[in-house]
Amino acid sequence: MQVLGKDKLEQAYRVVVDLDGKPVEVLVSDALLSSEYARDAKVSHSDAYEWIAANQHALTDAVRVLAAGKQPRAPRLMPWRSQRRVKTCPPKF
């Protein structure tokens, strides 16, 4: 998974997910990030990158289900406290 950056018009982060060797670009909404952080305000870029990295497997699974034309289950995403312990790589541009 690779984060391409923030799309201000879509109010989401552009993320590329590898599905069976094929790159698929998806949007991770600011609203999802804000709700996961239990905040009304916007989430910082560094928090967003950490959250996406910590939840990359759940996000990839959801994209795989959507690509198959099905509705994904509500994800079991890592709570904020657990994410602080996850080491992430810097974003690739």
Side-chain angles (χ1 to χ4, degrees):
M1 176 175 286
Q2 181 180 7
V3 180
L4 300 179
K6 175 85 181 245
D7 185 323
K8 291 183 181 183
L9 290 176
E10 296 289 340
Q11 295 183 353
Y13 285 83
R14 290 195 179 280
V15 177
V16 174
V17 178
D18 182 29
L19 294 184
D20 303 321
K22 181 180 177 186
V24 177
E25 188 173 316
V26 297
L27 295 172
V28 177
S29 170
D30 281 348
L32 175 64
L33 293 167
S34 294
S35 68
E36 289 300 317
Y37 279 89
R39 298 181 188 169
D40 292 331
K42 292 186 178 183
V43 175
S44 72
H45 285 296
S46 61
D47 284 347
Y49 279 94
E50 285 182 25
W51 185 91
I52 291 168
N55 292 287
Q56 65 182 326
H57 297 294
L59 292 168
T60 300
D61 291 345
V63 172
R64 187 177 307 282
V65 170
L66 286 170
K70 299 177 183 175
Q71 181 69 30
R73 295 184 315 188
R76 289 183 176 175
L77 303 173
M78 293 180 66
W80 168 240
R81 290 186 188 125
S82 298
Q83 292 179 29
R84 281 293 186 197
R85 297 184 192 121
V86 175
K87 291 188 176 182
T88 60
C89 298
K92 296 178 182 177
F93 295 102

